[in-house]
Coordinates of all heavy atoms in Angstrom, one line a residue:
M1 N 0.8 -1.2 0.0 CA 0.0 0.0 0.0 C 0.9 1.3 0.0 O 1.8 1.3 0.8 CB -0.9 0.0 1.3 CG -2.2 -0.6 1.0 SD -3.3 -0.3 2.4 CE -2.4 -1.2 3.7
P2 N 0.6 2.1 -0.9 CA 1.4 3.4 -0.9 C 1.0 4.4 0.1 O -0.2 4.4 0.5 CB 1.1 3.9 -2.3 CG -0.2 3.4 -2.7 CD -0.4 2.1 -1.9
I3 N 1.9 5.1 0.6 CA 1.6 6.2 1.5 C 1.7 7.5 0.7 O 2.6 7.8 0.0 CB 2.6 6.3 2.7 CG1 2.5 5.1 3.6 CG2 2.4 7.6 3.5 CD1 3.5 5.2 4.8
Y4 N 0.6 8.2 0.8 CA 0.5 9.5 0.1 C 0.5 10.7 1.1 O 0.0 10.5 2.2 CB -0.7 9.6 -0.8 CG -0.7 8.7 -2.0 CD1 -1.6 7.7 -2.1 CD2 0.3 8.7 -2.9 CE1 -1.6 6.8 -3.1 CE2 0.3 7.9 -4.0 CZ -0.6 6.9 -4.1 OH -0.6 6.0 -5.2
E5 N 1.0 11.8 0.6 CA 1.0 13.0 1.4 C -0.1 13.9 0.9 O -0.2 14.1 -0.3 CB 2.3 13.8 1.3 CG 3.1 13.8 2.6 CD 4.3 14.6 2.5 OE1 5.3 14.1 2.1 OE2 4.3 15.8 2.7
Y6 N -0.9 14.4 1.7 CA -2.1 15.2 1.3 C -2.1 16.6 2.0 O -1.5 16.7 3.1 CB -3.4 14.5 1.6 CG -3.7 13.3 0.8 CD1 -3.3 12.1 1.3 CD2 -4.3 13.5 -0.4 CE1 -3.6 10.9 0.5 CE2 -4.6 12.3 -1.2 CZ -4.3 11.1 -0.7 OH -4.5 10.0 -1.5
T7 N -2.6 17.5 1.3 CA -3.0 18.8 2.0 C -4.5 18.9 1.9 O -5.1 18.7 0.9 CB -2.3 20.0 1.2 OG1 -0.9 19.9 1.2 CG2 -2.7 21.3 1.9
C8 N -5.1 19.2 3.0 CA -6.5 19.4 3.1 C -6.9 20.8 2.6 O -6.3 21.8 3.0 CB -7.0 19.2 4.5 SG -8.7 19.6 4.7
R9 N -7.7 20.8 1.6 CA -8.1 22.1 1.0 C -9.0 22.9 2.0 O -9.1 24.1 1.9 CB -8.9 21.9 -0.3 CG -8.0 21.5 -1.5 CD -8.7 21.8 -2.8 NE -7.8 21.4 -3.9 CZ -7.9 20.3 -4.6 NH1 -8.8 19.4 -4.2 NH2 -7.1 20.0 -5.6
K10 N -9.6 22.2 2.9 CA -10.5 22.9 3.8 C -9.8 23.5 5.0 O -10.0 24.7 5.3 CB -11.5 21.9 4.3 CG -12.8 22.5 4.8 CD -13.8 21.4 5.1 CE -14.9 22.0 6.1 NZ -15.7 20.9 6.6
C11 N -8.9 22.8 5.6 CA -8.2 23.3 6.8 C -6.7 23.5 6.6 O -6.0 24.0 7.5 CB -8.5 22.4 8.1 SG -7.7 20.8 8.0
R12 N -6.3 23.2 5.4 CA -4.9 23.4 5.0 C -3.8 22.6 5.8 O -2.7 23.0 5.8 CB -4.5 24.9 5.0 CG -5.4 25.9 4.3 CD -5.7 25.5 2.8 NE -4.4 25.4 2.0 CZ -4.4 25.0 0.8 NH1 -5.5 24.5 0.2 NH2 -3.3 25.0 0.1
K13 N -4.3 21.6 6.5 CA -3.3 20.8 7.2 C -2.7 19.8 6.3 O -3.4 19.3 5.3 CB -4.0 20.1 8.4 CG -4.5 21.1 9.4 CD -4.1 20.5 10.8 CE -4.1 21.6 11.9 NZ -5.4 22.2 12.1
E14 N -1.5 19.4 6.5 CA -0.8 18.3 5.7 C -0.8 17.1 6.6 O -0.5 17.1 7.8 CB 0.6 18.8 5.3 CG 0.5 19.9 4.4 CD 1.9 20.4 4.0 OE1 2.9 19.7 4.3 OE2 2.0 21.6 3.5
F15 N -0.9 15.9 5.9 CA -0.9 14.7 6.6 C -0.5 13.6 5.6 O -0.6 13.7 4.4 CB -2.2 14.4 7.3 CG -3.4 14.3 6.4 CD1 -3.8 13.0 5.9 CD2 -4.0 15.4 6.0 CE1 -4.9 12.9 5.0 CE2 -5.1 15.3 5.1 CZ -5.5 14.1 4.6
E16 N -0.1 12.4 6.2 CA 0.3 11.3 5.4 C -0.8 10.2 5.6 O -1.3 10.1 6.7 CB 1.6 10.7 5.8 CG 2.8 11.5 5.3 CD 4.1 11.0 5.7 OE1 4.1 10.1 6.6 OE2 5.1 11.4 5.2
Q17 N -1.1 9.5 4.5 CA -2.2 8.6 4.6 C -1.9 7.3 3.8 O -1.5 7.4 2.6 CB -3.5 9.2 4.1 CG -4.7 8.4 4.3 CD -5.4 8.6 5.6 OE1 -5.3 9.7 6.2 NE2 -6.0 7.6 6.1
L18 N -2.1 6.2 4.4 CA -2.1 4.9 3.6 C -3.3 4.8 2.8 O -4.4 4.9 3.4 CB -2.0 3.7 4.6 CG -0.6 3.3 5.0 CD1 -0.8 2.2 6.1 CD2 0.2 2.7 3.9
V19 N -3.2 4.6 1.5 CA -4.4 4.6 0.7 C -4.4 3.3 -0.1 O -3.5 3.0 -0.9 CB -4.4 5.8 -0.3 CG1 -5.7 5.8 -1.1 CG2 -4.3 7.1 0.5
R20 N -5.5 2.5 0.0 CA -5.8 1.4 -0.8 C -6.5 1.8 -2.1 O -7.2 2.8 -2.1 CB -6.7 0.4 -0.1 CG -5.9 -0.5 0.9 CD -6.9 -1.3 1.7 NE -7.8 -0.4 2.5 CZ -8.6 -0.8 3.4 NH1 -8.7 -2.1 3.6 NH2 -9.4 0.0 4.1
T21 N -6.2 1.1 -3.2 CA -6.8 1.4 -4.4 C -8.4 1.5 -4.2 O -9.0 0.6 -3.7 CB -6.5 0.4 -5.5 OG1 -5.1 0.1 -5.4 CG2 -6.8 0.9 -6.9
G22 N -8.9 2.6 -4.7 CA -10.4 2.7 -4.6 C -10.8 3.4 -3.3 O -12.0 3.8 -3.2
D23 N -9.9 3.6 -2.4 CA -10.2 4.2 -1.1 C -10.2 5.8 -1.3 O -9.4 6.3 -2.0 CB -9.2 3.9 -0.1 CG -9.8 3.0 1.0 OD1 -10.8 2.4 0.8 OD2 -9.2 3.0 2.1
T24 N -11.1 6.4 -0.6 CA -11.1 7.9 -0.6 C -10.6 8.3 0.8 O -11.3 8.1 1.7 CB -12.5 8.5 -0.9 OG1 -13.0 7.9 -2.1 CG2 -12.4 10.0 -1.0
P25 N -9.4 8.9 0.8 CA -8.9 9.3 2.2 C -9.7 10.5 2.6 O -10.2 11.3 1.8 CB -7.5 9.6 1.9 CG -7.4 10.0 0.5 CD -8.5 9.2 -0.2
A26 N -9.7 10.7 3.9 CA -10.3 11.9 4.5 C -9.4 12.5 5.5 O -8.5 11.9 6.0 CB -11.6 11.5 5.2
C27 N -9.5 13.8 5.6 CA -8.6 14.6 6.5 C -8.8 14.2 7.9 O -10.0 14.1 8.4 CB -8.9 16.1 6.3 SG -8.1 17.1 7.5
P28 N -7.8 13.8 8.7 CA -7.9 13.4 10.0 C -8.3 14.6 11.0 O -8.7 14.3 12.1 CB -6.6 12.8 10.4 CG -5.6 13.5 9.5 CD -6.4 13.7 8.2
H29 N -8.1 15.8 10.5 CA -8.4 16.9 11.3 C -9.9 17.4 11.2 O -10.5 17.7 12.2 CB -7.5 18.1 11.0 CG -6.0 17.7 11.0 ND1 -5.3 17.6 12.2 CD2 -5.2 17.4 10.0 CE1 -4.1 17.2 11.9 NE2 -4.0 17.0 10.6
C30 N -10.4 17.4 10.0 CA -11.7 18.0 9.8 C -12.6 17.0 9.0 O -13.8 17.3 8.7 CB -11.7 19.3 9.1 SG -11.2 19.2 7.4
E31 N -12.1 15.8 8.6 CA -12.8 14.8 7.9 C -13.3 15.2 6.6 O -14.1 14.5 6.0 CB -14.0 14.3 8.8 CG -13.4 13.5 10.0 CD -14.6 13.0 10.9 OE1 -15.7 13.2 10.5 OE2 -14.2 12.6 12.0
S32 N -12.7 16.2 6.0 CA -13.0 16.6 4.7 C -12.4 15.7 3.7 O -11.3 15.2 3.9 CB -12.5 18.1 4.4 OG -12.6 18.4 3.0
E33 N -13.1 15.4 2.6 CA -12.5 14.6 1.5 C -12.0 15.5 0.4 O -11.6 15.0 -0.7 CB -13.5 13.6 1.0 CG -13.8 12.5 2.1 CD -14.8 11.5 1.6 OE1 -15.3 11.6 0.5 OE2 -15.1 10.6 2.4
D34 N -12.0 16.8 0.6 CA -11.5 17.7 -0.4 C -10.0 17.9 -0.2 O -9.5 18.8 0.4 CB -12.2 19.0 -0.3 CG -11.9 19.9 -1.5 OD1 -11.2 19.5 -2.5 OD2 -12.3 21.1 -1.5
L35 N -9.2 16.9 -0.8 CA -7.8 16.9 -0.5 C -6.9 17.1 -1.8 O -7.4 16.8 -2.9 CB -7.4 15.5 0.1 CG -8.2 15.1 1.3 CD1 -7.9 13.6 1.7 CD2 -8.1 16.0 2.5
E36 N -5.7 17.6 -1.6 CA -4.8 17.7 -2.7 C -3.7 16.8 -2.4 O -3.0 16.8 -1.4 CB -4.3 19.2 -2.7 CG -3.8 19.6 -4.0 CD -3.4 21.1 -3.9 OE1 -4.2 21.9 -3.3 OE2 -2.4 21.4 -4.4
R37 N -3.4 15.9 -3.4 CA -2.3 15.0 -3.2 C -1.0 15.6 -3.5 O -0.8 16.2 -4.5 CB -2.5 13.7 -4.0 CG -1.7 12.5 -3.4 CD -2.1 11.3 -4.0 NE -1.5 11.0 -5.3 CZ -1.8 10.0 -6.1 NH1 -2.8 9.2 -5.8 NH2 -1.1 9.9 -7.3
M38 N 0.0 15.5 -2.6 CA 1.3 16.1 -2.8 C 2.2 15.2 -3.6 O 2.0 14.0 -3.7 CB 2.0 16.3 -1.4 CG 1.1 17.0 -0.4 SD 0.8 18.7 -0.8 CE 2.3 19.4 -0.3
L39 N 3.1 15.9 -4.3 CA 4.1 15.1 -5.0 C 5.0 14.3 -4.1 O 5.5 14.8 -3.2 CB 5.0 16.0 -5.9 CG 4.5 16.4 -7.3 CD1 5.7 17.1 -8.0 CD2 4.2 15.1 -8.0
S40 N 5.2 13.1 -4.4 CA 6.2 12.3 -3.7 C 7.2 11.8 -4.7 O 6.9 11.8 -5.9 CB 5.6 11.2 -2.9 OG 5.1 10.2 -3.7
L41 N 8.3 11.2 -4.3 CA 9.3 10.7 -5.2 C 8.8 9.6 -6.1 O 9.2 9.5 -7.2 CB 10.5 10.2 -4.4 CG 11.4 11.3 -3.7 CD1 12.5 10.7 -2.9 CD2 11.9 12.3 -4.8
C42 N 7.9 8.8 -5.6 CA 7.5 7.7 -6.4 C 6.2 8.0 -7.2 O 5.8 7.1 -8.0 CB 7.3 6.4 -5.6 SG 6.3 6.8 -4.1
S43 N 5.6 9.1 -7.1 CA 4.4 9.4 -7.9 C 4.5 10.8 -8.4 O 4.0 11.8 -7.9 CB 3.2 9.2 -7.0 OG 3.1 10.2 -6.0
V44 N 5.2 11.0 -9.5 CA 5.2 12.2 -10.2 C 4.0 12.3 -11.1 O 3.8 11.4 -12.0 CB 6.5 12.4 -11.1 CG1 6.5 13.7 -11.8 CG2 7.7 12.3 -10.2
S45 N 3.2 13.3 -10.9 CA 2.0 13.4 -11.7 C 2.1 14.3 -12.9 O 3.0 14.2 -13.7 CB 0.8 13.8 -10.8 OG 1.1 15.1 -10.2
S46 N 1.1 15.2 -13.1 CA 1.0 15.9 -14.4 C 2.1 16.9 -14.6 O 2.8 17.3 -13.7 CB -0.4 16.5 -14.5 OG -0.4 17.6 -13.6
E47 N 2.2 17.3 -15.9 CA 3.2 18.3 -16.3 C 2.9 19.6 -15.6 O 3.8 20.3 -15.2 CB 3.1 18.5 -17.8 CG 4.1 19.5 -18.4 CD 5.5 19.0 -18.2 OE1 5.8 17.7 -18.1 OE2 6.4 19.8 -18.2
S48 N 1.6 20.0 -15.5 CA 1.3 21.3 -14.9 C 1.7 21.3 -13.4 O 2.1 22.4 -12.9 CB -0.2 21.6 -15.0 OG -0.9 20.8 -14.1
T49 N 1.6 20.2 -12.7 CA 2.0 20.1 -11.3 C 3.6 20.4 -11.2 O 4.0 21.1 -10.4 CB 1.7 18.8 -10.7 OG1 0.3 18.5 -11.0 CG2 1.9 18.8 -9.2
R50 N 4.3 19.7 -12.2 CA 5.7 19.9 -12.2 C 6.1 21.4 -12.5 O 6.9 21.9 -11.8 CB 6.3 19.1 -13.3 CG 6.9 17.8 -12.8 CD 8.0 17.2 -13.7 NE 7.6 17.0 -15.0 CZ 7.0 15.9 -15.4 NH1 6.8 14.9 -14.6 NH2 6.7 15.7 -16.7
Q51 N 5.4 22.0 -13.4 CA 5.6 23.4 -13.7 C 5.4 24.3 -12.4 O 6.2 25.2 -12.1 CB 4.6 23.9 -14.8 CG 4.9 23.3 -16.2 CD 6.1 24.0 -16.8 OE1 6.4 25.1 -16.5 NE2 6.8 23.3 -17.7
N52 N 4.3 24.0 -11.7 CA 4.0 24.8 -10.5 C 5.1 24.6 -9.5 O 5.5 25.5 -8.8 CB 2.6 24.3 -9.9 CG 1.5 24.9 -10.7 OD1 1.6 25.9 -11.4 ND2 0.3 24.3 -10.5
N53 N 5.6 23.4 -9.4 CA 6.6 23.1 -8.4 C 7.9 23.9 -8.8 O 8.6 24.4 -7.9 CB 6.9 21.6 -8.3 CG 6.0 20.9 -7.3 OD1 5.0 21.5 -6.9 ND2 6.4 19.8 -6.9
L54 N 8.2 23.9 -10.1 CA 9.3 24.6 -10.6 C 9.2 26.1 -10.2 O 10.2 26.7 -9.8 CB 9.4 24.4 -12.1 CG 10.8 24.6 -12.7 CD1 11.8 23.5 -12.2 CD2 10.7 24.4 -14.2
K55 N 8.0 26.6 -10.5 CA 7.8 28.0 -10.2 C 8.0 28.3 -8.7 O 8.6 29.3 -8.3 CB 6.3 28.4 -10.6 CG 6.3 29.4 -11.7 CD 4.9 29.9 -12.0 CE 4.2 29.1 -13.1 NZ 2.8 29.4 -13.2
G56 N 7.5 27.4 -7.9 CA 7.6 27.5 -6.4 C 9.1 27.5 -6.0 O 9.5 28.3 -5.2
A57 N 9.9 26.7 -6.7 CA 11.3 26.5 -6.4 C 12.0 27.8 -6.8 O 12.9 28.3 -6.0 CB 11.9 25.3 -7.1
R58 N 11.7 28.4 -7.9 CA 12.3 29.6 -8.4 C 12.0 30.8 -7.5 O 12.8 31.6 -7.1 CB 11.8 30.0 -9.8 CG 12.5 29.1 -10.9 CD 12.5 29.8 -12.2 NE 12.9 28.9 -13.3 CZ 12.0 28.5 -14.2 NH1 10.8 29.0 -14.2 NH2 12.4 27.7 -15.1
A59 N 10.7 30.8 -7.0 CA 10.3 31.9 -6.1 C 11.1 31.8 -4.8 O 11.5 32.8 -4.2 CB 8.8 31.8 -5.9
R60 N 11.2 30.6 -4.3 CA 12.0 30.4 -3.1 C 13.4 30.8 -3.3 O 14.0 31.4 -2.4 CB 11.9 28.9 -2.6 CG 10.6 28.6 -1.8 CD 10.7 27.3 -1.1 NE 10.8 26.2 -2.0 CZ 9.8 25.6 -2.7 NH1 8.6 26.0 -2.5 NH2 10.0 24.6 -3.5
A61 N 14.0 30.4 -4.4 CA 15.4 30.8 -4.7 C 15.6 32.3 -4.7 O 16.6 32.8 -4.2 CB 15.9 30.1 -6.0
K62 N 14.6 32.9 -5.4 CA 14.7 34.4 -5.5 C 14.5 35.0 -4.1 O 15.3 36.0 -3.8 CB 13.5 34.9 -6.4 CG 13.7 36.3 -6.9 CD 12.5 36.6 -7.8 CE 12.5 38.1 -8.1 NZ 11.2 38.5 -8.7
A63 N 13.7 34.5 -3.3 CA 13.5 35.1 -1.9 C 14.7 34.9 -1.1 O 15.2 35.8 -0.4 CB 12.3 34.3 -1.2
A64 N 15.4 33.7 -1.3 CA 16.6 33.5 -0.6 C 17.7 34.4 -1.0 O 18.5 34.9 -0.2 CB 17.1 32.0 -0.8
K65 N 17.7 34.7 -2.3 CA 18.7 35.7 -2.8 C 18.5 37.1 -2.3 O 19.5 37.7 -1.8 CB 18.6 35.7 -4.4 CG 19.8 36.4 -5.0 CD 19.8 36.1 -6.5 CE 20.9 36.8 -7.3 NZ 20.6 38.2 -7.5
I66 N 17.3 37.5 -2.3 CA 17.0 38.8 -1.7 C 17.4 38.9 -0.3 O 18.0 39.9 0.2 CB 15.5 39.1 -1.9 CG1 15.2 39.4 -3.4 CG2 15.1 40.3 -1.0 CD1 13.7 39.4 -3.7
E67 N 17.1 37.8 0.4 CA 17.4 37.8 1.9 C 18.9 37.9 2.1 O 19.4 38.6 2.9 CB 16.9 36.5 2.5 CG 17.0 36.4 4.0 CD 16.3 37.5 4.7 OE1 15.2 37.9 4.2 OE2 16.9 38.0 5.6
S68 N 19.7 37.2 1.3 CA 21.2 37.2 1.5 C 21.8 38.5 1.1 O 22.7 39.0 1.6 CB 21.8 36.0 0.7 OG 21.7 36.3 -0.7
E69 N 21.2 39.2 0.0 CA 21.7 40.5 -0.4 C 21.4 41.5 0.7 O 22.2 42.4 1.0 CB 21.0 40.9 -1.7 CG 21.7 40.3 -2.9 CD 20.9 40.6 -4.2 OE1 19.9 41.3 -4.1 OE2 21.4 40.0 -5.2
R70 N 20.2 41.3 1.4 CA 19.9 42.2 2.5 C 20.9 42.1 3.6 O 21.4 43.0 4.2 CB 18.4 41.9 2.9 CG 17.9 43.0 3.9 CD 16.5 42.6 4.3 NE 15.5 42.6 3.2 CZ 14.5 41.7 3.1 NH1 14.3 40.9 4.1 NH2 13.7 41.8 2.1
E71 N 21.2 40.8 3.9 CA 22.2 40.5 4.9 C 23.5 41.2 4.6 O 24.2 41.8 5.4 CB 22.4 39.0 5.1 CG 21.2 38.4 5.9 CD 21.1 38.9 7.3 OE1 22.2 38.8 8.0 OE2 20.1 39.3 7.7
Y72 N 23.9 41.1 3.3 CA 25.2 41.6 2.9 C 25.2 43.1 3.1 O 26.2 43.7 3.6 CB 25.3 41.3 1.4 CG 26.6 41.8 0.7 CD1 27.8 41.3 1.1 CD2 26.5 42.8 -0.2 CE1 29.0 41.8 0.5 CE2 27.6 43.3 -0.8 CZ 28.8 42.9 -0.5 OH 30.0 43.4 -1.1
H73 N 24.1 43.8 2.7 CA 24.1 45.3 2.9 C 24.1 45.7 4.3 O 24.8 46.6 4.7 CB 22.8 45.9 2.2 CG 23.0 45.9 0.7 ND1 23.8 46.8 0.1 CD2 22.4 45.2 -0.3 CE1 23.8 46.6 -1.2 NE2 22.9 45.6 -1.5
K74 N 23.4 44.9 5.1 CA 23.4 45.2 6.5 C 24.8 45.1 7.1 O 25.3 45.9 7.8 CB 22.5 44.1 7.2 CG 21.8 44.6 8.5 CD 20.8 43.7 9.0 CE 21.4 42.6 9.9 NZ 20.5 41.6 10.3
H75 N 25.5 44.1 6.6 CA 26.9 43.9 7.0 C 27.8 45.2 6.6 O 28.5 45.7 7.4 CB 27.4 42.7 6.2 CG 28.1 41.7 7.1 ND1 27.4 41.0 8.0 CD2 29.4 41.4 7.3 CE1 28.2 40.2 8.7 NE2 29.5 40.4 8.2
L76 N 27.6 45.7 5.4 CA 28.3 46.8 4.9 C 28.1 48.0 5.8 O 29.0 48.7 6.2 CB 27.9 47.2 3.5 CG 28.5 46.3 2.3 CD1 28.0 46.9 1.0 CD2 30.0 46.3 2.4
H77 N 26.8 48.2 6.1 CA 26.5 49.4 7.0 C 27.1 49.2 8.3 O 27.6 50.2 8.9 CB 24.9 49.5 7.1 CG 24.3 50.0 5.8 ND1 24.7 51.2 5.3 CD2 23.5 49.5 4.9 CE1 24.0 51.4 4.1 NE2 23.3 50.3 3.9
E78 N 27.1 48.0 8.9 CA 27.6 47.8 10.2 C 29.1 48.2 10.2 O 29.6 48.8 11.1 CB 27.5 46.4 10.6 CG 26.1 46.1 11.2 CD 25.8 44.6 11.3 OE1 26.7 43.8 11.1 OE2 24.6 44.3 11.6
H79 N 29.8 47.9 9.1 CA 31.2 48.2 9.0 C 31.5 49.7 8.8 O 32.5 50.1 9.3 CB 31.9 47.4 7.9 CG 32.1 46.0 8.2 ND1 33.2 45.6 9.0 CD2 31.4 44.9 8.0 CE1 33.1 44.3 9.2 NE2 32.1 43.8 8.6
H80 N 30.6 50.4 8.2 CA 30.8 51.8 8.0 C 30.5 52.6 9.3 O 31.1 53.7 9.4 CB 29.9 52.3 6.9 CG 30.4 52.0 5.5 ND1 31.6 52.5 5.1 CD2 29.9 51.2 4.5 CE1 31.8 52.1 3.9 NE2 30.8 51.3 3.5
D81 N 29.7 52.1 10.1 CA 29.3 52.8 11.3 C 30.4 53.0 12.3 O 31.2 52.2 12.6 CB 28.1 52.2 12.0 CG 26.8 52.5 11.2 OD1 26.9 53.5 10.4 OD2 25.8 51.8 11.4
Ligands
LIG1 ZN1 -8.9 19.2 7.0

């Protein structure tokens, strides 16, 4: 039985669930069946999901870059003071 990772669309909680074929998993927090299955290493799904993940990764990389540049400038100012 595969273990899937889900995000509940209703309460936004993430959880892992063992799922048998034909089973509909439900959120353990609010029992909603409106779930989004997360990507795992063994189940790569559609192209659009991959695109979205790539976009997310780029956004994270950009945020990290801005953060490090900010740190760098802070450093410069500290040295000038
Ligand atoms: Zn939920």
Side-chain angles (χ1 to χ4, degrees):
M1 269 190 296
I3 292 181
Y4 292 119
E5 245 183 274
Y6 289 94
T7 301
C8 174
R9 286 198 178 100
K10 201 171 161 192
C11 68
R12 307 308 299 173
K13 291 226 165 59
E14 291 176 18
F15 60 96
E16 286 179 348
Q17 185 89 31
L18 272 173
V19 182
R20 276 173 300 190
T21 315
D23 249 20
T24 309
C27 173
H29 306 282
C30 69
E31 291 176 11
S32 168
E33 290 180 1
D34 190 7
L35 309 172
E36 202 177 318
R37 201 165 85 188
M38 311 291 281
L39 268 190
S40 69
L41 288 176
C42 50
S43 67
V44 177
S45 60
S46 71
E47 183 67 25
S48 72
T49 311
R50 261 206 302 273
Q51 291 283 335
N52 283 342
N53 271 19
L54 203 65
K55 246 187 261 172
R58 282 204 193 113
R60 275 195 298 279
K62 199 178 163 193
K65 190 167 178 282
I66 288 168
E67 188 56 41
S68 69
E69 277 170 7
R70 193 181 295 147
E71 282 297 306
Y72 176 69
H73 284 291
K74 210 170 86 187
H75 231 71
L76 282 182
H77 287 298
E78 275 165 10
H79 280 280
H80 281 297
D81 282 343

